[in-house]
Structure formats: C-alpha cells, structure tokens
Amino acid sequence: MPVDSTATAEVTAYRWVPGFAQGLVRDLRVRWALEEIERPYRVRLLDVTKPRPEEYFCEQPFGQVPAYRDDQVQLFESGAILIHLGMQDDRLMPADHARQMRAIAWVIAALNSVEPAIFPLLMINVFNKGEPWTEEARPKFMERLNGRLKCVSDALGDKEWLEDRFTIADLLLVTVLRQLRGGEVVDQYPNLAAHIARGEARPAFQRALADQLAVFAENEPQPA
Amino acid sequence: MPVDSTATAEVTAYRWVPGFAQGLVRDLRVRWALEEIERPYRVRLLDVTKPRPEEYFCEQPFGQVPAYRDDQVQLFESGAILIHLGMQDDRLMPADHARQMRAIAWVIAALNSVEPAIFPLLMINVFNKGEPWTEEARPKFMERLNGRLKCVSDALGDKEWLEDRFTIADLLLVTVLRQLRGGEVVDQYPNLAAHIARGEARPAFQRALADQLAVFAENEPQPA
C-alpha cells in the first residue's frame, strides 16, 4: 500500500471535511496517481475548520490541499503534481514528447475548460443554496457547462480514454466530472458517464478513495 | 518579426472580435511566447461570428482559439502550448526539472485557481449585464476573486516575477489578470498591478499585442 509514514514523498490532505466534499478533495488525484505507479507516500493532515498555519502558504499559496514534496520537487496544484509524476513514469503518460503534450493538453482542458464551468454550479447549488438569485443564474451557468460537456463528449466519442491509452488526463477528467455526482447532468452524456465508471473501476482509484475516506471516518466530529 | 506566412508553426486566431475582447483573446499568450523566443509563426484566421467548421473541433475540442501545430506537436489549450514551448527554450522556463515544475505549478495556478474566479464576473458584468440576479450574485463572486488575488499578491510579495526570473507563469498570470482591466479590482493589489505593467512593458508582449490588434483593425466590420 502506498500510504507509508516513512515515505519520502509527502501529500497534504484534510483531517475531515463535510459529507458533500468527501471523496472529492483534490489530494485524491495525487493519491490515485501514486497508486497507479505504486509509489509510497506519507500524508500530512491539516484542519479544514481552522485557518491554515501562516507558513503553509509558502507551500500552497491558496492555503488548500494538496501540497506535495519529494526528493526532487516542492509543488502545489494537483494538475502540476500529476504532470511531475507523469514525466517520471510512463504508466501515467507516454514518454514521447508529442504524445506527452497531448496528455498535458487534456489535463489543462479539464482544469481550465471544464472545471471552471462546474465551479459556479457549486456556488449556486451548495454555498448559496436557496438564495433567490441562484434560480435565475442557474440556467445561464448550466448552458455554459452543457456546452463544455458536449464538446468533451464529442471528442471522447466511443474511445475508452481521451487519447489512445489511460493517462493523467483521464485521471483528472474523471475527478473533475465526479464533482457533478448526484446531479443528472453527466447522465445526459452516456460516454462521459462510462468514462467516469471506467476510471472509478481502476484498483488504484479504489485504493486512493478508500484511503482518503478512512481518514475522514477516523476523524468524524463527535456530537457534543 | 515572428509573423511569417511561410513558418512551420501555426497559431489559430480570430479575424475580428468585439471591442471588449480585443487584446484579450488567448492566441495573444502564444504569440507573446513565440515573440520571446523569436520563433516565426503563421496565423490561420477563423470567424468568431460563425459556427466553427466541423473539422476544427478535431484540432480544438471546444472550437476556440488558439490551436497550435508545428513539426513536433498538434495542440490546444494555451497553457499546454506554453508548456510545450517552454520545454524547448530556457528563455521561457528553466531547463532544470525542479524549477521547471515550479513554473508549471504557477501556470496551473493561473489557469485553475485564478482564472476560474474571473469567469463568473464576465458572466455578471458582460454577458448578462443588467439582469437583476447579477447584482445579488456579484458580491459572492467578488469575495471569491478577492480571496484568490490576495493569495497571489502575498505569494508575489515584492518579487519582480513569481519565481526567481520571468517564465511562462508570469506571461500567463499577466494575461489572466488583464481580463480585469477597466475594473478597480487589481488596483487594490499594487504589486499585482505592477506585475502586469512589467509584463506589458516587455517588447515581446508589445509586438504580440500589436499583431493581434492589427488583424482586428483590418477586418473591422463596415457599417451597412
């Protein structure tokens, strides 16, 4: 099992988060990638309910998780950590420059063309739920999201993965689209729903998810 | 001048866009990077007012600009194109892996932690301007944006560039923050405003901007 308190590689994660975020926190992306390449890592836990320690912003400028370090790098942003890991191990990304860059293009697409269309929906459906403006705003933002999902669905077509094999791009897209779980949005794109299911079926994903959730279960706040 | 109709490298761009988008369209990022490394490129123009040709979606799955090709790669997503160019030329990014990954971390931060906080403001202030919901929504999204800008401002501090020298991360952050031009948001963070000014003062930026704007001026629609 990659989680190993003596490992050189370190990933930061939260000790506990509310139910809606469990299984979605972004250290999952890095855990999953590390599981795919069987590389051990230790976890450093932070408290989401308290301000992050001042010195943590030197590691992660936005105070979020994950931050990552190993004997080569000190990094933030899950996308960058995946690119770093992918450049070391061809189980995550082809070594050939042109194919590597295709994977990186899809990594950036997931982070900059798809995920930003999901974030306003979280503002509307979770953080400001029930406020009157959210009802008028929802169709505008849904139209944008659907436009993006249709493009990704068309590009994926009947392929198993975004390019000719599994890469960090698929890993990232699956974790981005999982943020829409419980809604009916993704179900309108059966090939995207199948892509998510293929990602979630990978043993490395299952182990990564179990490890993230186990920490939350251990640290579930007790009723006063 | 890098714009050269016989060049191998090709960047797609729009023939014309409305005034609010002029100087902000993302081919500017790629033009700027190519100017920094004095690499010639040709421009292929698309019409923003018409649906993109079906076959263009094979090059750029979202139908947007820029798409890019040279003798090595066929790419989409400005961030990925910059990483590709940065990996070839240390004027854009250090060759050393650890420092290269720091630049890439900031590239991803600009695209996934900063720009997504700006996009809802465009929905509110431009695309749905004047609709009642936008007034209630604005403070929620402004709070988010300010949170992100404060973090970037703190990380930049009194440094000239995000890391110890100019990289594609600075190029990208400048083009992301320029989307807030005309508002007073960035002026609350004098070091970010100065960072933008330093980027815009680079001769490579000036040439790239002039070349993008020249195409729009040539193709300005004539009143009927």
Side-chain angles (χ1 to χ4, degrees):
Chain A
M1 284 276 280
V3 177
D4 173 351
S5 60
T6 67
T8 308
E10 180 187 89
V11 180
T12 63
Y14 290 128
R15 184 167 283 117
W16 176 85
V17 296
F20 76 84
Q22 295 194 6
L24 297 179
V25 191
R26 290 165 174 210
D27 57 282
L28 182 68
R29 297 170 178 173
V30 179
R31 292 173 182 266
W32 181 1
L34 289 163
E35 290 281 354
E36 292 281 354
I37 60 177
E38 299 160 277
R39 187 179 301 183
Y41 67 96
R42 64 180 191 272
V43 179
R44 178 155 56 104
L45 296 177
L46 298 166
D47 194 334
V48 76
T49 63
K50 295 183 190 148
R52 241 62 72 219
E54 198 55 49
E55 63 273 19
Y56 184 65
F57 289 84
C58 300
E59 292 177 63
Q60 214 297 347
F62 305 96
Q64 299 179 304
V65 303
Y68 174 87
R69 64 174 71 236
D70 61 25
D71 50 6
Q72 286 188 285
V73 293
Q74 193 282 309
L75 291 175
F76 56 99
E77 291 287 343
S78 56
I81 300 164
L82 295 187
I83 291 171
H84 163 64
L85 295 174
M87 287 169 92
Q88 330 264 312
D89 196 307
D90 66 9
R91 282 172 287 183
L92 292 175
M93 187 159 80
D96 164 73
H97 177 72
R99 294 175 67 211
Q100 190 166 97
M101 286 310 310
R102 291 292 300 182
I104 291 175
W106 276 114
V107 163
I108 307 265
L111 293 172
N112 192 248
S113 292
V114 181
E115 197 170 37
I118 295 175
F119 150 67
L121 273 299
L122 297 179
M123 288 286 280
I124 287 167
N125 294 331
V126 179
F127 303 123
N128 299 281
K129 192 177 173 176
E131 293 188 22
W133 67 269
T134 61
E135 293 309 312
E136 285 168 79
R138 185 178 291 110
K140 312 286 184 185
F141 288 105
M142 281 305 298
E143 188 187 338
R144 168 92 172 189
L145 174 61
N146 274 302
R148 292 305 166 94
L149 293 181
K150 180 177 184 312
C151 290
V152 178
S153 173
D154 289 350
L156 179 62
D158 57 7
K159 297 200 301 288
E160 195 172 3
W161 306 112
L162 287 164
E163 294 283 317
D164 57 354
R165 47 156 285 189
F166 174 82
T167 71
I168 51 171
D170 300 291
L171 188 164
L172 202 41
L173 182 65
V174 167
T175 59
V176 163
L177 294 180
R178 287 180 79 249
Q179 295 174 44
L180 295 164
R181 70 180 179 186
E184 287 149 22
V185 193
V186 174
D187 295 340
Q188 296 167 44
Y189 307 90
N191 67 339
L192 294 184
H195 183 259
I196 297 173
R198 268 193 295 280
E200 291 181 337
R202 293 177 76 88
F205 172 85
Q206 306 255 338
R207 289 193 296 269
L209 180 64
D211 284 338
Q212 183 184 79
L213 295 179
V215 176
F216 299 150
E218 261 170 51
N219 296 289
E220 182 71 30
Q222 299 302 311
Chain B
M1 285 276 281
V3 177
D4 173 352
S5 61
T6 67
T8 307
E10 180 187 89
V11 180
T12 64
Y14 291 126
R15 184 167 283 117
W16 176 85
V17 296
F20 76 85
Q22 294 193 7
L24 298 180
V25 191
R26 290 167 174 209
D27 57 282
L28 181 68
R29 296 170 178 173
V30 179
R31 291 173 183 267
W32 182 0
L34 289 163
E35 290 281 354
E36 292 281 353
I37 60 177
E38 298 160 276
R39 187 178 301 183
Y41 67 96
R42 64 179 191 271
V43 179
R44 178 155 56 105
L45 296 177
L46 298 165
D47 194 334
V48 75
T49 63
K50 295 184 190 148
R52 242 61 73 219
E54 198 56 48
E55 62 274 17
Y56 185 64
F57 289 83
C58 300
E59 293 177 63
Q60 213 297 347
F62 305 94
Q64 299 179 303
V65 303
Y68 174 88
R69 65 174 70 236
D70 62 24
D71 50 7
Q72 286 189 286
V73 294
Q74 193 282 309
L75 290 176
F76 56 101
E77 291 287 342
S78 56
I81 300 163
L82 295 187
I83 291 171
H84 163 65
L85 296 173
M87 287 168 90
Q88 329 265 310
D89 196 307
D90 65 10
R91 282 173 287 183
L92 292 175
M93 185 158 81
D96 164 72
H97 178 73
R99 292 175 69 212
Q100 190 167 96
M101 286 309 312
R102 291 291 302 181
I104 291 176
W106 275 113
V107 163
I108 307 266
L111 293 172
N112 191 247
S113 292
V114 181
E115 197 170 37
I118 294 175
F119 149 66
L121 274 299
L122 297 178
M123 289 286 281
I124 286 167
N125 294 331
V126 180
F127 302 123
N128 299 281
K129 191 177 174 176
E131 292 188 22
W133 67 269
T134 61
E135 293 310 311
E136 286 168 78
R138 186 178 290 108
K140 312 287 183 183
F141 288 105
M142 280 305 298
E143 188 187 337
R144 167 92 173 191
L145 174 60
N146 273 301
R148 292 306 166 95
L149 294 181
K150 181 180 184 309
C151 289
V152 178
S153 173
D154 288 350
L156 179 62
D158 57 8
K159 297 199 301 290
E160 195 172 3
W161 307 112
L162 287 164
E163 294 283 317
D164 57 354
R165 47 157 286 188
F166 174 80
T167 71
I168 50 171
D170 299 292
L171 188 163
L172 202 41
L173 182 64
V174 166
T175 59
V176 163
L177 294 181
R178 286 181 79 248
Q179 296 174 42
L180 295 164
R181 69 180 180 187
E184 288 149 21
V185 192
V186 174
D187 295 340
Q188 296 166 45
Y189 307 90
N191 67 340
L192 294 185
H195 183 258
I196 297 173
R198 269 193 296 278
E200 291 180 337
R202 293 177 77 87
F205 172 85
Q206 306 254 338
R207 289 192 297 269
L209 179 65
D211 284 338
Q212 183 184 80
L213 295 179
V215 176
F216 300 150
E218 262 172 49
N219 296 290
E220 182 71 30
Q222 298 303 311

